Amino acid sequence: MQRKRWSALFLALAMAGCQPATDKLVITGSSTIAPLMAELAERYEAQTGVQVDVQSGGSGRGISDVRQGLADLGMVSRALKQDEQDLTGHVIARDGIALIVHAENPVAPLTRDQVIDIYTGKLDSWSLLGGADRPITVVHKADGRSTQELFLEHFGLDGDQIRADLVIGENQQGIKAVAGDPYAIGYVSIGTAVYEADHGVPLRLLPLQGVPASLATLDQGDYPLSRELNLVSQGELQAQAQALLDFISDPAQAEIYHAYYFLLATR
């Protein structure tokens, strides 16, 4: 009888250990949103004691993980597509995508056709653009990244047309690649690029269609390659996920968004 009682106790403990933690939330996806979300999550944990695990990996991962039940919320740095309408998007901020070069690169603003020719391999030397007689290092985003999808869409390009020297995932990889190579060109989140440039990283943001890549032009609605930053969910939000969403969407958090060079969306 005693053995049966112990067996039942062990079974109950084992089953309890298999249940999902009620004081933890998992958020995965966009590397553009992840640094901001990590900061907000840390503040939320300090106030509530609820652990928030933030993992990057790209917007595609955020979509996939939410659909599979692996994440409570997915970070997606674009609007939802037609085939993603099974999910609910919660817009938390606005951002844009900027072309970046090394701070020492003297190249003038590029035309749309010049950007297309660079990324398709038709222009392969900076000397053809008024710069040094050096090959252009083309830095491109990996598949599954919303930054890549929006870049290709804006310039009317197909992924098969791209001739890249380096394919990166995270925004920080793109920043490091361009900051470490005076002859590289890439594209990343405006917020990330401005933040790093303001903190001494040798980058220069190129205007797009004559419009400077800045929070000011983004806020005015003038910048041509802007996007919404979303948290996505499936089905009705659980109470803890809703509480977190309310916390990070509160206008009182605007200062944190600005610190990361994003614009807090109005609800």
Side-chain angles (χ1 to χ4, degrees):
M1 181 66 71
Q2 186 71 17
R3 171 179 284 184
K4 288 184 178 180
R5 279 201 289 266
W6 279 112
S7 297
L9 176 60
F10 285 138
L11 178 60
L13 289 172
M15 291 179 66
C18 293
Q19 299 302 310
T22 58
D23 58 349
K24 178 179 179 180
L25 291 166
V26 176
I27 305 177
T28 68
S30 167
S31 64
T32 294
I33 305 175
L36 166 69
M37 191 55 54
E39 173 88 12
L40 290 166
E42 184 177 343
R43 297 190 180 209
Y44 186 72
E45 287 180 26
Q47 287 192 20
T48 65
V50 176
Q51 181 183 351
V52 184
D53 183 10
V54 179
Q55 305 170 23
S56 60
S59 295
R61 180 187 176 187
I63 294 287
S64 176
D65 283 358
V66 167
R67 280 176 167 164
Q68 296 180 65
L70 300 176
D72 298 283
L73 293 165
M75 300 176 287
V76 179
S77 50
R78 56 167 172 75
L80 290 178
K81 300 176 182 178
Q82 191 62 39
D83 62 356
E84 295 167 346
Q85 298 306 307
D86 56 308
L87 303 177
T88 301
H90 311 274
V91 181
I92 61 170
R94 289 188 293 121
D95 182 34
I97 297 170
L99 285 161
I100 56 171
V101 294
H102 194 279
E104 296 178 359
N105 190 330
V107 67
L110 301 172
T111 67
R112 176 185 178 86
D113 287 342
Q114 286 172 332
V115 174
I116 292 172
D117 287 348
I118 288 171
Y119 271 85
T120 56
K122 295 177 182 178
L123 279 175
D124 57 5
S125 173
W126 287 113
S127 63
L128 302 172
L129 297 165
D133 187 14
R134 297 294 297 268
I136 300 174
T137 303
V138 177
V139 181
H140 185 49
K141 279 270 193 173
D143 291 342
R145 306 282 174 165
S146 64
T147 306
Q148 182 231 59
E149 294 175 24
L150 294 172
F151 175 84
L152 293 176
E153 180 182 342
H154 179 79
F155 287 101
L157 292 168
D158 186 272
D160 294 338
Q161 295 176 273
I162 301 299
R163 299 294 176 264
D165 298 293
L166 179 63
V167 176
I168 53 95
E170 308 289 312
N171 277 307
Q172 288 300 330
Q173 291 177 313
I175 295 289
K176 183 179 292 186
V178 174
D181 182 352
Y183 307 108
I185 185 170
Y187 57 92
V188 295
S189 155
I190 283 181
T192 303
V194 173
Y195 177 87
E196 295 295 342
D198 282 357
H199 287 77
V201 177
L203 296 175
R204 188 159 65 89
L205 286 72
L206 297 180
L208 189 60
Q209 297 173 207
V211 181
S214 69
L215 284 188
T217 58
L218 194 64
D219 193 26
Q220 294 161 5
D222 296 332
Y223 192 71
L225 190 42
S226 62
R227 59 179 171 176
E228 57 188 49
L229 303 183
N230 274 287
L231 292 183
V232 301
S233 61
Q234 187 167 49
E236 186 175 351
L237 279 176
Q238 298 297 314
Q240 282 193 352
Q242 183 64 60
L244 173 64
L245 183 61
D246 291 342
F247 174 83
I248 66 178
S249 302
D250 192 316
Q253 309 299 342
E255 182 180 345
I256 303 175
Y257 284 78
H258 290 163
Y260 284 87
Y261 297 87
F262 296 125
L263 299 172
L264 175 64
T266 55
R267 299 184 67 182

